[in-house]
Amino acid sequence: LERRLEADVAARAEAAQRGVASCALTFEPHPRDHFAARSGHPDRAPARISTLRDKLSELERCGIDQVVILPFDKTLASQSAEDFIDQVLVDGLHARYVLVGDDFCFGARRAGNYQMLDAAGNPRPHGMPPFVLTLNDAEVAAVLSYIRSSWGNQAGGVSEFDINKLRRSQAP
């Protein structure tokens, strides 16, 4: 959730700076749900942090201009990383800038990654450089505290210590 909020805020800010519309791309069902169901073990899919409706509401609150929901099915799961870049990002979305997390993978067998997007962006006419968001604990705390107060949450601010503790608990 923390990374998604960071990305939403950063995407909106970057789009505004570039003078283009912001767009969030998401998949439904979640790829992990798809693969768990295909393996015959839908119970192995991790619990969702939020529903699709919650995610869409959050994106709207963050000021994202549009959301594209791709159905994650057998066809998309088998699409090569190169075809995903060409057909979805370039031809479908006309992406000029792509913001991804540092662990983002795409394409069949998770063959595509940040480095592939970076390499693919260089020859494109408008460029499509990915951006890996890296905020320190204090910056994340400031963004989350701002979002909480903007949405009327009475829980108070988030501290740098809270973020550090969360990151350490999620480290591999």
Side-chain angles (χ1 to χ4, degrees):
L1 182 59
E2 166 200 338
R3 286 183 182 170
R4 191 167 81 204
L5 285 171
E6 289 176 22
D8 296 346
V9 171
R12 180 68 181 117
E14 187 63 34
Q17 182 177 351
R18 291 174 179 260
V20 297
S22 59
C23 176
L25 173 64
T26 191
F27 305 98
E28 186 62 32
H30 190 284
R32 290 181 185 151
D33 293 341
H34 169 80
F35 289 115
R38 272 190 59 193
S39 72
H41 299 283
D43 54 309
R44 291 187 182 164
R48 291 198 180 197
I49 294 172
S50 61
T51 65
L52 178 61
R53 179 177 293 185
D54 292 339
K55 183 188 293 189
L56 295 174
S57 294
E58 178 185 307
L59 290 166
E60 182 179 29
R61 283 190 298 257
C62 286
I64 300 297
D65 297 312
Q66 66 180 21
V67 178
V68 173
I69 304 169
L70 279 181
F72 197 91
D73 56 16
K74 188 171 131 180
T75 301
L76 189 61
S78 64
Q79 185 176 44
S80 74
E82 294 84 0
D83 285 348
F84 181 83
I85 291 171
D86 291 336
Q87 295 171 14
V88 175
L89 299 178
V90 176
D91 296 338
L93 297 175
H94 306 288
R96 296 178 137 195
Y97 182 83
V98 177
L99 184 143
V100 298
D102 58 355
D103 60 348
F104 178 71
C105 293
F106 59 95
R109 294 180 180 79
R110 299 174 52 92
N113 57 23
Y114 170 84
Q115 290 79 13
M116 179 181 265
L117 279 175
D118 191 33
N122 292 329
R124 303 280 188 231
H126 299 292
M128 191 183 64
F131 173 74
V132 176
L133 184 63
T134 307
L135 298 178
N136 66 37
D137 295 345
E139 292 167 326
V140 172
V143 168
L144 293 177
S145 294
Y146 171 78
I147 290 169
R148 272 188 173 180
S149 66
S150 296
W151 294 348
N153 188 320
Q154 302 299 315
V158 177
S159 74
E160 181 177 351
F161 174 78
D162 295 331
I163 300 304
N164 182 273
K165 182 178 173 184
L166 178 67
R167 287 190 202 236
R168 282 186 283 123
S169 74
Q170 295 179 348

